[in-house]
């Protein structure tokens, strides 16, 4: 308590703190967990994704994204943009409708919930009477048509959500002119589909689940056409000209229906079961897209032969003789096709298909031959294989950055080079100040390199360590992109692949030296791979070395997994990071800590048994140190040991449950799946057992005999004063789970004799913290109390050289306390107790540099600490004073806390789901958050004038033009309405003209002056042409 | 301790004083200028020099006019020693390793007794002292009830000294709920309770805690609002000097505070010394309990040593306290080998309460939870 009083409220410091620290959760990277709905606005070029937890996310051009959360946290079932408006309506599974809008405020757009509404029937009516099944936002933007389970269609006014009872389309009125024998089958059970006529907004097509489809005239309020389908209906789709529509059905068929004034009850033109003749699954959604060459694109979801391919998640595309059934890795939530959005255009000319599957987003380029996939700039599936660790490197040198990108581009050659088709909005965020890499290690032995500089987390390069080892799987048997002469013509798309071939391949620790390009990667079976960046493909032998961490121990038996077998002989590696040495720890326990010093060419790794130092220049093991306590028998039994923490096993079992749910079909039936199942059962049993017993906690002082005290938690290289205060030398520090710190002094030969003389190491110190809490971090502070720079940082002139004059200090961070000791003579100087006083334990810690947002020249180093309660504390160096704290992660979210990584500039990432990183910022200066603007269609309408006046008709080359062409139809109406305004009030015209000018100026690409004046004149001409040339449909009441 | 070997010697003059220093079996004689004794560090260096033990960490003691062995470890007591020495300053030097530094301050009495007898053997027929110069907290602490005078009668603050016994703390805690009186009437609130005592554990053997006692504070920090795991972590982190404030399930043994005798008997074993600094004991300050500062360092695979404080502050008195402690304890005839021994053999008044409580233990365990 007194600590807080004593720290005092120095007003100067308090002000400085405000300039330095600020907590923000800025953006979520990755793929939304459990998506449940998809929406797309062809006018705004924005895509919306809703999730089962009630979140909605909007995406446009890279960097343009918005997030919203429904208070109810209910599943989002449907999302519909209001045509031509920056608004969308969501339907949740509690039958509530929500209106969201993008509002501009201080130069950026914000997503806000405006209204909510629940449709209620008369008292006493069954809930299904008002259970909404379909939502159609009418192009007039004034009403929503709501189809229900009762078969009635309600009309509500926007934005007030007032029910217009007079306009309700009841099933009785629909059935008035239907033949009696047909109406006896109760065809109006449930509304499956409502679609507006593409040319005539007064006509809507209503499809009922039993197969009846009617064309309803809004003006006369009666059905004009009846289409007596006999199959259970799934969906309908209008052809572009409105002369035909397509219906798709539960039995895997689709039918084409003619619409003409001659026949009010026509028969289908054609009915087809594309994957017949055997029983097929339902076609749940269909697109019929006409093209200039006459051959339509028929795109439908499902319809696979029930018996043999009923388990596939497929979308088929048929174009003339080409036909591909895209086979997705997980359930398809929904999809849409991006085509020419101008309703006046004669052809659809689809350009891309966007498919939201449960675990990833796949976009198919329909223009390029072979229909390749498009590499998405966002919404990456981080969890293609489960993330096992992550590592962040700030401020990557340009050279390394370019080499990584070039290595990655060679891997992405199978992607289409189409520009990203969803390109709405304008990204206003400044360019990221530096290049940051986030490296994620995965369960399948891969490391993915992400561009984490900006709002879009983008995959740059993927590194696989599998090739080094002999595993059961042939690396070549992965996805064959084309399954030829097979029927149905399935093609696997997507990268989600949660099946790990061998759990031992999992990556546990990563260390990248950004200056030298050396990368060290360590895994589950004690393997440590050292890699170098090579721009060419190469074939070479990976050197092998073994580090026996149990050297001087007798009588121990490792009961865990075997080590991985390395491939003999040369191995071919693709351009990128190529391993040159494999250091194998024995016993092959999980590598728990890793450190790399690229200047000294040394790598250190630790497991639950001890740690070792390896000289990768001479390819020689320098020393090993066993940290096992003689009584710690349990540590030796390996991962199957009984002492596995309960939290961990629970987490694993949940992951297993989730994974088995994800994959109801077993792709690779084998022992692994069986073992997993058995484990899951066992864990569930354990869970139940635990719930029966009262929750008790044993209070016991830790002793040296506790299990896993030898577990090496942290390794650290430092050039400091280890033995005497006159000479500094390289040193290696190791911290264990039992609160012990080991320090070894190293003798690294000078560069000219580096190959000739061996590196020598000698134990210099061993510190035992009496509170025996696990050591989570070790750090040496130089004479100015600044942390020692990274290896090679000084050599590259990127850091001041450390102060070797003043005395150095050692900071040891345990889970419970932070302590500062003097060096070389170890005496305790300062400490900060956390657990004893606050009950929280340190989980993660890092040093971060905080710059002031007020002055450019002030910055300071602080410790950022994440505790088991999920809060982040900033602690000053070297005085260990708590500066501030922020609640960040729920304390129950153990995996979120375990996944947290800090950057060097006060930002951080943690997993909020298996597939999403939350990015947060503690700094006022370094903040990466989306800043973007969505222009309201009123403003885009001036672009539309470019189109109609024929000035520019270049298609979708430029983002703004693309948007305007998508909005033409809407704008026509809009302009018409504006004209009516103009009749009432000339000022409005002036304002509109003014906004035309400002709109052009406000956006990223200003229209040149001469062009603007032309725009203006064409605008006026247009307005007058409309006024006299087109009769308004509605009377405009002011 | 960066004690350089500086300031060796000093010319003999008129105001000189003879010093006789003993280290092991060896004696050294030299002289000091009484008016300018210099700093303790210089003196320390000088001793290391004359005994030719430059790199050995030692403890320095002297015999005062009463024949008591007192430590010299800072400038103040060094000056006191010089000023009172008449005519000879007798110095006893003890190797720190032999003194078992890890057990500094609060270690088992047995060890200290050995150390003590080693040190004192040449001089053990001196008079019994009647001046007490140590601080109360330098005594070997035992588990006790503390702060009786400042706590409500329904609460009990128990200090469990884990250090120095082999006994496990030996208790479990659980979640539960208790009823509180609030301005809005009675309210049920979640609480933490002692759920089980391990037979033979420290908690059980002291008899100060019982099953179903509600835990209110851990080392001065309220547990309300904290989770079971958080409280567990706090207790374990403080396990070497754990102070738990409980609301005993059995409220029949509460101390009636207006009685003077029971008031004092409720205090810990140091009641004979409370006139010195009673508040240190009675008002617990977490910061002053540096029980986990005894981190150990092994340099160059040598012998383990305790890590000293870098900045000489008042806390460096620790080195003083060890010898003091030994000293006082023997003189009081107060060298129990374990807690149990202490409780059952010590017949002093101040133990009365604890013994009574221990006898009630079985009763308490069956008692119902009375929490208001």
């Amino acid at each position: 308590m007194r600590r807080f009083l004593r720290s005092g409220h120095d007003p100067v410091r308090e002000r400085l703190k405000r300039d330095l620290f600020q907590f923000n959760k800025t953006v979520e990277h990755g793929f939304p967990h459990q998506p449940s709905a998809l929406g797309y606005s062809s006018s705004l070029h924005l895509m919306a994704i809703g999730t089962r937890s009630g979140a909605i996310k909007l995406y446009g051009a890279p960097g343009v994204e918005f997030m919203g959360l429904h208070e109810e946290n209910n599943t989002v079932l449907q999302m519909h943009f209001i045509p031509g408006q920056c608004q969308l309506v969501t339907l949740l599974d509690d039958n509530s409708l929500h209106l969201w809008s993008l509002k501009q405020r201080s130069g950026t757009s914000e997503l806000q919930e405006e209204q909510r509404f629940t449709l209620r029937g008369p008292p006493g009516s069954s809930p299904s009477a008002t259970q909404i099944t379909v939502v159609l936002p009418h192009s007039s933007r004034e009403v929503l048509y709501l189809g229900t389970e009762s078969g009635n269609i309600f009309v509500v006014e926007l934005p007030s959500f007032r029910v217009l009872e007079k306009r309700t389309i009841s099933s009785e009125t629909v059935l008035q002119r239907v033949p009696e024998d047909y109406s006896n089958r109760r065809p109006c059970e449930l509304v499956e589909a409502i679609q507006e006529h593409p040319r005539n907004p007064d006509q809507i097509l209503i499809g009922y689940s039993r197969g009846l489809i009617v064309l309803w005239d809004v003006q006369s309020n009666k059905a004009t056409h009846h289409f007596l389908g006999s199959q259970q209906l799934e969906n309908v789709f209008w052809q572009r000209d409105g002369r035909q529509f397509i219906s798709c059905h539960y039995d895997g068929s689709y039918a084409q229906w003619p619409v003409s004034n001659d026949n009010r009850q026509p028969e289908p033109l054609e009915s087809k079961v594309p994957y017949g003749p055997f029983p097929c699954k339902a076609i749940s959604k269909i697109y019929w897209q006409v093209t200039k060459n006459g051959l339509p694109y028929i795109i439908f979801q499902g319809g696979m032969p029930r018996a043999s391919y009923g388990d596939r998640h497929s979308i088929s595309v048929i174009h003339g003789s080409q036909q591909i059934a895209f086979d997705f890795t997980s359930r398809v939530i929904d999809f849409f096709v991006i085509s020419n959005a101008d309703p006046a255009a004669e052809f659809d000319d689809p350009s891309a298909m966007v498919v939201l599957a449960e675990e990833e987003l796949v976009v198919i380029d329909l223009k390029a031959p072979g229909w390749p996939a498009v590499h998405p700039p966002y919404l990456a599936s981080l969890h293609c294989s489960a993330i096992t660790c992550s590592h962040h490197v700030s401020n990557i040198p340009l050279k390394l950055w370019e080499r990584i990108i070039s290595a990655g581009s060679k891997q992405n050659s199978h992607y289409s080079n189409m520009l990203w088709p969803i390109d709405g909005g304008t990204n206003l965020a400044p360019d990221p100040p530096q290049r940051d890499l986030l490296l994620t290690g995965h369960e399948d032995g891969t490391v993915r390199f992400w561009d984490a500089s900006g709002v879009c987390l983008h995959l740059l390069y993927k590194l696989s360590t599998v090739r080094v080892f002999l595993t059961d799987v042939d690396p070549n048997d992965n996805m064959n992109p084309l399954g030829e002469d097979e029927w149905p013509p399935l093609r696997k798309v997507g990268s989600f692949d949660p099946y790990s071939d061998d759990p031992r391949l999992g990556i546990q620790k990563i260390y990248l030296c950004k200056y030298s390009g050396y990368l060290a990667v360590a895994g589950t079976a004690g393997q440590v791979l050292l890699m170098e960046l090579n721009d060419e493909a190469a074939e070479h032998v990976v050197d092998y070395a073994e580090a026996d961490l149990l050297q001087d121990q007798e009588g121990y038996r490792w009961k865990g997994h075997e080590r991985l077998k390395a491939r003999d002989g040369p191995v071919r590696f693709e351009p990128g990071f190529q391993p040159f040495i494999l250091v194998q720890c024995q016993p092959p326990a999980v590598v728990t800590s890793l450190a790399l010093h690229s200047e000294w060419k040394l790598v250190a790794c630790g497991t639950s048994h001890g740690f070792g130092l390896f000289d990768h220049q001479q390819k020689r093991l320098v020393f090993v140190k066993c940290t096992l306590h003689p009584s710690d028998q349990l540590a030796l039994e390996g991962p199957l040991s009984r002492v596995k923490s309960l939290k961990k096993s629970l987490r694993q079992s949940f992951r297993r449950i989730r994974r088995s749910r994800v994959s109801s079909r077993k792709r690779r039936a084998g022992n692994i799946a069986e073992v997993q199942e058995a484990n899951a059962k066992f864990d569930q049993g354990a869970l139940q057992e635990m719930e029966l017993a009262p929750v008790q906690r044993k209070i016991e002082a830790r002793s040296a005999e506790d299990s896993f005290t030898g577990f090496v938690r942290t390794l650290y290289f430092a050039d400091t004063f280890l033995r005497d205060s006159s000479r500094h030398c390289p040193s290696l520090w190791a911290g264990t789970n039992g609160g012990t710190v080991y320090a070894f002094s190293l003798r690294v030969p000078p560069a000219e004799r580096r190959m000739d003389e061996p590196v020598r190491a000698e134990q210099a110190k061993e510190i035992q913290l009496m509170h025996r809490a696990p050591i989570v971090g070790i750090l040496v502070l130089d004479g100015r109390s600044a942390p020692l720079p990274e290896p090679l940082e000084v050599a590259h002139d990127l850091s001041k050289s450390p102060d070797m004059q003043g005395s150095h200090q050692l900071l040891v961070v345990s889970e419970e306390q932070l302590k500062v000791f003097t060096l070389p003579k170890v005496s305790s100087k300062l400490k900060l107790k956390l657990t004893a006083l606050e009950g929280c334990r340190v989980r993660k810690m890092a040093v971060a540099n905080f710059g002031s947002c007020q002055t450019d020249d002030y910055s300071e180093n602080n410790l950022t600490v994440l505790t088991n309660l999920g809060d982040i504390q900033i602690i000053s160096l070297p005085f260990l004073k708590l500066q501030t704290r922020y609640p960040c992660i729920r304390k129950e979210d153990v995996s979120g806390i375990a996944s947290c990584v800090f950057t060097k500039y006060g930002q951080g990432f943690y997993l909020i789901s298996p597939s999403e990183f939350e990015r947060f910022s503690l700094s006022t200066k370094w903040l990466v958050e989306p800043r973007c603007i969505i222009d309201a269609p009123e403003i885009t309408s001036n672009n539309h004038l470019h189109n109609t006046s024929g000035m520019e008709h270049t298609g979708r080359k430029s983002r703004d033009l693309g948007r305007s062409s998508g909005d033409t139809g809407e704008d026509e109406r809009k302009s018409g309405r504006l004209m009516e305004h103009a009749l009432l009030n000339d000022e409005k015209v002036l304002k509109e003209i003014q906004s035309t000018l400002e709109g052009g100026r406000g956006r990223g690409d200003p229209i040149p002056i001469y062009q603007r004046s032309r725009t203006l004149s064409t605008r006026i001409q247009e307005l007058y042409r409309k006024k006299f040339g087109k009769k308004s449909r509605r009377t405009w009441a002011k | 301790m960066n004690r350089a070997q500086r300031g060796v010697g000093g010319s003999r003059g008129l105001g000189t004083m003879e010093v006789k220093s003993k280290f092991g079996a060896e004696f050294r004689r030299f002289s000091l200028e009484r008016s300018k004794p210099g700093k303790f560090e210089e003196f320390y260096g000088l001793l290391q020099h004359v005994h030719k033990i430059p790199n050995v960490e030692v403890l320095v003691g002297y015999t005062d006019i009463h024949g008591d062995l007192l430590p010299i470890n800072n400038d103040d007591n060094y000056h006191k020693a010089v000023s009172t020495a008449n005519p000879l300053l007798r110095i006893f030097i003890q190797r720190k390793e032999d003194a078992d530094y890890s057990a500094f301050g609060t270690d088992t009495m047995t060890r200290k007794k050995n150390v003590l007898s080693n040190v004192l053997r040449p001089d053990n027929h001196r008079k019994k002292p009647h001046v007490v110069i140590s601080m109360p907290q330098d005594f070997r602490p035992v588990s006790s009830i503390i702060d009786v005078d400042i706590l409500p009668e329904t609460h009990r603050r128990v200090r469990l000294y884990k250090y120095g016994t082999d006994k496990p703390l030996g208790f479990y805690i659980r979640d539960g709920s208790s009823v509180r009186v609030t301005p809005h009437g009675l309210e049920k609130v979640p609480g933490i309770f002692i759920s089980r005592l391990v037979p033979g554990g420290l908690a059980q053997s002291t008899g100060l805690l019982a099953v179903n006692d509600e835990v209110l504070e851990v080392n001065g920090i309220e547990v309300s609002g904290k989770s079971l795991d958080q409280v567990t972590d706090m207790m374990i982190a403080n396990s070497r000097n754990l102070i738990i404030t409980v609301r005993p399930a059995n409220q029949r043994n509460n101390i009636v505070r207006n009685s003077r005798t029971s008031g004092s008997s409720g205090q810990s074993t140091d009641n004979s010394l409370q006139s010195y600094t009673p508040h240190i004991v009675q008002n617990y300050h977490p910061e002053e309990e540096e029980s986990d500062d005894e981190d150990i360092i092994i340099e160059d695979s040598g012998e383990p040593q305790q890590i000293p404080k870098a900045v000489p502050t008042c806390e460096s008195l620790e080195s003083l306290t060890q010898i003091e402690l030994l000293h006082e304890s023997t003189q009081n005839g107060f060298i129990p080998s374990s807690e149990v021994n202490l409780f059952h053999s010590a017949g002093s008044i101040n133990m009365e309460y604890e013994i009574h409580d221990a006898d009630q233990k079985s009763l308490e365990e069956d008692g119902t939870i009375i929490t208001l």
Side-chain angles (χ1 to χ4, degrees), chain A residues 163-179:
Chain A
V163 180
L164 303 172
E165 288 186 17
K166 277 186 189 164
R167 293 173 69 176
T168 301
I169 305 168
S170 68
S171 46
E172 291 80 32
T173 51
V174 164
L175 284 175
Q176 273 168 9
R177 272 198 279 165
V178 172

Side-chain angles (χ1 to χ4, degrees), chain A residues 420-618:
Chain A
W420 184 244
I422 302 164
D423 54 6
T426 312
N427 182 7
L428 301 176
D431 280 340
Q434 57 186 30
R435 293 166 293 271
D436 288 357
L437 264 185
L438 180 67
L439 279 66
T440 52
H442 297 260
E443 205 173 30
D444 63 354
T446 57
V447 178
R448 284 173 168 80
F449 289 63
W450 304 92
D451 173 3
S453 332
V455 173
C456 293
L457 192 72
H458 183 66
L459 181 65
L460 296 178
Y461 165 69
K462 178 180 136 185
L463 165 73
S464 175
T465 62
V466 181
R467 278 180 176 278
V468 181
F469 304 103
L470 278 172
T471 53
D472 308 338
V473 251
D474 182 3
N476 296 323
D477 96 330
N478 55 10
M479 290 174 219
N480 200 358
L482 288 172
E484 289 102 4
D485 31 85
E486 272 212 21
W487 188 260
L490 289 165
R491 182 204 288 180
K492 281 241 162 257
V493 280
S495 56
F496 179 69
D497 181 18
Y499 306 92
S500 173
D501 299 326
D502 188 335
R504 294 175 298 169
L505 289 168
I507 305 293
Q508 298 293 337
K509 294 282 162 191
I510 304 170
Y511 190 98
L512 172 70
C513 172
K514 62 186 178 187
Y515 303 110
S516 62
Y518 281 118
L519 173 70
V521 165
T524 306
Q527 75 271 33
V528 180
L529 281 165
L530 271 161
M531 316 204 193
E532 236 174 340
L533 192 53
N534 186 349
D535 300 324
E536 304 295 328
E539 188 163 349
H540 57 80
V541 178
V542 178
D543 286 304
Y544 179 84
E546 211 169 270
D548 182 7
L549 299 175
L550 286 183
Q551 265 183 338
D552 39 7
Q553 307 283 328
E554 289 296 320
Y556 286 135
R557 201 160 65 85
W558 171 251
K559 295 179 192 164
H561 46 228
E562 297 264 292
R563 66 177 179 82
L564 283 161
K565 285 196 180 59
R567 250 172 228 281
D568 298 324
V571 185
R572 186 160 180 81
F573 296 103
E574 19 174 86
F577 285 94
Q578 298 175 348
F580 60 97
I581 292 171
L582 167 63
V583 181
Q584 177 64 52
C585 298
Q586 282 294 11
V590 179
V591 176
T592 54
S593 53
L594 181 70
L596 176 73
H597 201 292
S598 41
E599 201 171 346
W600 304 334
K601 307 254 192 284
L602 295 173
V603 64
C605 56
T607 71
S608 47
H609 303 95
F611 59 97
L613 180 68
F614 189 82
D615 171 3
H616 68 78
Q617 179 92 13
Q618 293 185 25

Side-chain angles (χ1 to χ4, degrees), chain A residues 57 132 149-150 262 274 336 369 371 394 437 496 514 615 649 695 701 714 720 765 790 860 935 957 962 974 1028:
Chain A
K57 296 186 168 196
I132 300 167
E149 279 187 4
S150 63
D262 311 335
F336 60 85
W371 300 333
S394 299
L437 264 185
F496 179 69
K514 62 186 178 187
D615 171 3
S649 67
V695 182
T714 180
T720 187
K765 290 187 196 309
E790 280 175 49
E860 61 180 48
D935 294 329
K957 273 284 182 310
K974 188 84 205 167
F1028 301 109

Side-chain angles (χ1 to χ4, degrees), chain A residues 400-410 412 451 460-461:
Chain A
L400 178 69
W401 188 257
E402 284 171 345
R403 291 176 72 190
I404 291 171
I405 287 177
S406 111
S409 65
K410 283 164 196 154
N412 292 339
D451 173 3
L460 296 178
Y461 165 69

Side-chain angles (χ1 to χ4, degrees), chain A residues 696-697 699-700 723 764-768 770 817 819 825-828 831 835-837 839 841 869, chain B residues 1 169-171 173 195 221 229-230 232-234 238 290 292-300 308 310:
Chain A
Q696 288 192 88
R697 293 286 183 271
I699 307 300
E700 210 39 83
R723 286 172 183 275
K765 290 187 196 309
E766 179 180 331
I767 301 171
Q768 174 62 57
M770 285 316 277
Q817 301 187 0
K819 286 195 150 184
K825 171 84 185 159
V826 176
S827 47
S828 68
K831 74 173 168 194
T835 314
L837 297 179
R841 302 172 72 86
L869 304 180
Chain B
M1 294 191 191
L169 282 169
F171 66 100
I173 56 173
S195 61
I221 293 141
D229 287 330
Q230 233 171 313
T232 306
D233 285 342
M234 285 168 65
N238 287 303
E290 301 295 348
D292 55 10
D293 254 4
E294 301 104 7
D295 298 339
I296 291 167
I297 177 141
I298 304 170
E299 301 259 5
D300 296 322

Side-chain angles (χ1 to χ4, degrees), chain B residues 199-364:
Chain B
L202 187 60
Q204 194 220 32
S205 66
T206 60
L208 304 180
L209 296 172
V211 170
N212 291 331
D213 285 0
E214 183 183 358
V215 178
L216 302 172
E217 289 178 359
V218 175
N219 287 54
I221 293 141
E222 279 195 48
V223 304
S224 72
K226 293 195 161 63
S227 70
L228 186 65
D229 287 330
Q230 233 171 313
V231 178
T232 306
D233 285 342
M234 285 168 65
M235 287 187 174
I236 292 174
N238 287 303
S239 59
R240 294 157 67 78
N241 177 25
L242 182 59
I243 298 174
I244 311 178
T245 309
V246 293
R247 191 201 317 270
N250 183 343
Q251 291 278 330
R252 272 172 288 177
N253 295 322
N254 292 343
I255 297 150
V256 183
R257 207 185 308 151
N258 50 19
S259 146
R260 280 187 71 186
T261 42
S262 61
S264 64
S265 75
Q267 288 173 10
S268 49
T269 55
D270 41 77
N271 64 340
S272 61
L273 300 160
Q274 62 178 291
S275 57
Y276 276 81
T277 47
H279 281 282
I280 289 184
V281 181
Q282 299 202 338
N283 298 331
Y284 169 69
H285 300 297
E287 288 269 44
E288 281 162 12
E289 296 297 332
E290 301 295 348
S291 62
D292 55 10
D293 254 4
E294 301 104 7
D295 298 339
I296 291 167
I297 177 141
I298 304 170
E299 301 259 5
D300 296 322
S301 309
E303 289 296 307
Q305 293 181 12
Q306 193 183 343
I307 296 180
K309 282 268 174 191
V311 197
T313 60
C314 59
E315 284 149 313
S316 71
L317 281 171
E318 276 176 338
S319 51
L320 164 82
T321 57
Q322 184 176 17
I323 293 173
E324 281 307 319
L325 174 65
L326 311 177
H327 206 68
E328 291 308 314
S329 311
T330 20
Q331 281 144 16
N332 290 339
F334 197 65
I335 319 165
S337 59
S338 76
E339 244 81 11
V340 190
N341 200 352
L342 175 71
F343 283 117
H344 295 286
S345 65
S348 57
I349 295 165
N350 57 332
M351 282 293 116
E352 188 181 286
Y353 171 73
E354 281 88 345
I355 290 165
H356 174 67
D357 198 68
D359 293 339
Q360 294 289 318
K361 183 175 52 63
S362 56
L363 184 74
E364 280 181 13

